[in-house]
Amino acid sequence: MLRHLRKYLLPFALMYGLVVRIRNFLYDMEILRSVEFDIPVIGVGNITVGGTGKTPHVEYLVRFLKKQYRTAVLSRGYRRLSGGFVSASPDVTAAQIGDEPLQIYRKFPDIDLAVDADRIRGIRLLLEKNPSLEVIVLDDAFQHRRVKPGLMILLIDHNRMITDDLLLPAGNLREPVSGIQRAHIIIVTKCPPDMKPVDCRIIESKLRPLTHQKVFFSFLRYGDLLPVYKNAAPALPPEKLKAKNAHVFLVSGIANPAPLEHFMEQYAARLTRFVFPDHHRYSPRDLIKIFKAYDQSDAPEKYIITTEKDAMRLQTMNDIDDDIRRRFYYLPVEVGFSGEDEKLFQKEITGFIHRMQQSRIISTYRK
């Protein structure tokens, strides 16, 4: 049915592709100007609509960078209710900065994090607020060409290869596959942890990277379940769900819930899914529907489990029974790299920052 519908959407995809190609051409020819900064700016983004694991990869970068450099993150704050430049603070909410930036800030409250749809202004205001910053991670930046990051990281979902996709609205591509040439680093995400080298080579041959582009392979690593409402319950290893023969009510409002569902299927004796659109704003009606199904289950052990991103929005809904609070968990996720990729990836990142710092020193000396 979906494939049949896409056939009728192809003319719109062609028109959309023409507009995007013209825009990219204007930037490539510098008719439309991009702004570069003398501080290291690392862009992270994708070509497809959502679901490539962008937030866990930004978190990986922050976790690695903050050990050595004064680090900041700038995001546009998708689907927030505020406008303009907003700097994160301890009492900030998802409505003010968006669920993904809030998730990052909750994990790393010691970094500077802000949101602004105008990335040029956002970077300038971050530097004005903290002139000692040494690196800025630009979240969701691949199509935002007004800023030209010194290092651009492109994420590609292993399960939804861009070489097999179509442009919007017939497919999921935000721009033609040729846009991959703007990336300095390509990460194929959500790979099997035990992916064989021959499979990596096959994917690389499909992507046809340029000689200067580095290709890495990452996978998702899930942690222990944590309570949505802080201190409402202890951490819960997923293995205990299996031992308890638990009925799990899985609530997700993300672009691609399939990996999460596959993971939970391994541990839940029974799985009931509640799937919502990406960045869904939960209403009392949504929760009533979920809690009603939970109450009707006769399973001796039952839990409501959601994603970390969804938890950022659900935490603001306080009118919830204590029993449900004790059974309401989210599943945190981190990024791992295959084989030697982690060391090589980190070397690329630190090498870029070192080159930028050296260039800045030389430029200052010449002045």
Side-chain angles (χ1 to χ4, degrees):
M1 175 66 179
L2 185 59
R3 188 175 296 177
H4 185 67
L5 179 63
R6 284 184 171 182
K7 181 174 69 174
Y8 295 101
L9 294 174
L10 280 174
F12 299 100
L14 291 171
M15 287 187 286
Y16 171 79
L18 178 62
V19 172
V20 173
R21 283 185 173 92
I22 292 171
R23 177 178 180 268
N24 281 338
F25 174 79
L26 294 175
Y27 273 108
D28 292 340
M29 294 295 105
E30 297 186 354
I31 298 168
L32 293 176
R33 295 298 181 92
S34 299
V35 176
E36 295 182 67
F37 291 84
D38 59 0
I39 183 175
V41 176
I42 302 174
V44 181
N46 50 34
I47 282 181
T48 52
V49 179
T52 55
K54 182 170 53 62
T55 301
H57 283 81
V58 170
E59 290 176 352
Y60 178 93
L61 278 171
V62 172
R63 191 176 291 109
F64 171 65
L65 291 169
K66 69 188 285 289
K67 296 173 184 176
Q68 307 172 64
Y69 309 101
R70 288 182 287 275
T71 304
V73 174
L74 179 65
S75 176
R76 63 172 170 157
Y78 182 64
R79 293 211 71 185
R80 61 187 169 119
L81 299 180
S82 63
F85 178 88
V86 180
S87 183
S89 59
D91 58 348
V92 77
T93 66
Q96 293 171 305
I97 64 171
D99 50 15
E100 292 170 343
L102 180 61
Q103 176 180 321
I104 296 167
Y105 184 69
R106 288 270 177 88
K107 286 185 177 175
F108 308 105
D110 54 337
I111 68 165
D112 288 280
L113 184 145
V115 295
D116 198 338
D118 184 339
R119 308 301 178 88
I120 297 172
R121 178 180 63 189
I123 291 174
R124 287 173 178 162
L125 289 175
L126 273 172
L127 291 171
E128 185 179 301
K129 178 188 172 189
N130 186 356
S132 65
L133 285 176
E134 295 176 294
V135 59
I136 295 175
V137 178
L138 204 56
D139 178 30
D140 198 10
F142 203 75
Q143 282 75 39
H144 191 92
R145 298 199 61 181
R146 287 189 64 219
V147 172
K148 186 176 182 180
L151 185 73
M152 178 61 82
I153 300 173
L154 175 65
L155 307 179
I156 298 173
D157 186 347
H158 171 266
N159 304 299
R160 298 186 300 160
M161 293 298 295
I162 60 174
T163 50
D164 303 323
D165 210 338
L166 299 169
L167 283 166
L168 290 167
N172 299 301
L173 297 182
R174 294 174 170 179
E175 63 174 291
V177 174
S178 58
I180 195 175
Q181 296 175 8
R182 297 200 307 277
H184 301 98
I185 291 175
I186 300 165
I187 303 179
V188 182
T189 68
K190 301 185 179 180
C191 298
D194 56 351
M195 195 159 84
K196 295 178 174 58
V198 65
D199 296 322
C200 296
R201 288 195 293 271
I202 290 170
I203 290 173
E204 284 196 55
S205 68
K206 285 184 178 181
L207 296 176
R208 294 189 291 181
L210 302 175
T211 52
H212 73 277
Q213 292 178 314
K214 306 295 182 183
V215 182
F216 299 102
F217 298 84
S218 69
F219 58 89
L220 298 181
R221 182 190 293 125
Y222 293 103
D224 288 349
L225 293 157
L226 299 174
V228 169
Y229 295 92
K230 195 174 180 181
N231 301 323
L236 181 68
E239 295 79 12
K240 285 197 174 182
L241 296 175
K242 197 168 189 177
K244 293 171 180 279
N245 288 317
H247 184 178
V248 169
F249 297 82
L250 187 61
V251 180
S252 61
I254 57 176
N256 179 21
L260 171 68
E261 292 176 353
H262 176 70
F263 179 81
M264 291 309 306
E265 283 169 356
Q266 301 174 63
Y267 299 103
R270 184 179 169 195
L271 191 65
T272 300
R273 299 169 178 82
F274 290 91
V275 180
F276 296 92
D278 195 15
H279 298 279
H280 179 68
R281 291 195 188 107
Y282 291 94
S283 67
R285 182 177 295 180
D286 295 328
L287 294 188
I288 288 170
K289 181 180 176 183
I290 295 164
F291 297 160
K292 184 178 179 181
Y294 174 88
D295 289 337
Q296 289 176 344
S297 172
D298 58 359
E301 292 289 337
K302 50 189 178 180
Y303 298 89
I304 300 172
I305 295 174
T306 190
T307 71
E308 191 168 6
K309 187 168 82 171
D310 287 299
M312 298 301 109
R313 283 166 273 137
L314 288 162
Q315 284 167 350
T316 60
M317 309 189 82
N318 295 315
D319 215 8
I320 293 175
D321 182 86
D322 285 344
D323 176 61
I324 289 179
R325 282 173 178 257
R326 288 191 291 269
R327 302 284 175 145
F328 206 163
Y329 283 86
Y330 70 85
L331 184 64
V333 61
E334 291 184 359
V335 165
F337 281 88
S338 304
E340 292 292 308
D341 275 10
E342 183 162 35
K343 289 181 183 177
L344 295 172
F345 174 69
Q346 291 179 357
K347 186 177 178 181
E348 288 292 323
I349 300 299
T350 53
F352 158 70
I353 295 172
H354 178 71
R355 289 191 300 273
M356 284 288 294
Q357 290 175 333
Q358 291 297 107
S359 176
R360 193 175 185 180
I361 292 168
I362 292 169
S363 177
T364 303
Y365 176 76
R366 285 176 176 170
K367 289 178 182 177

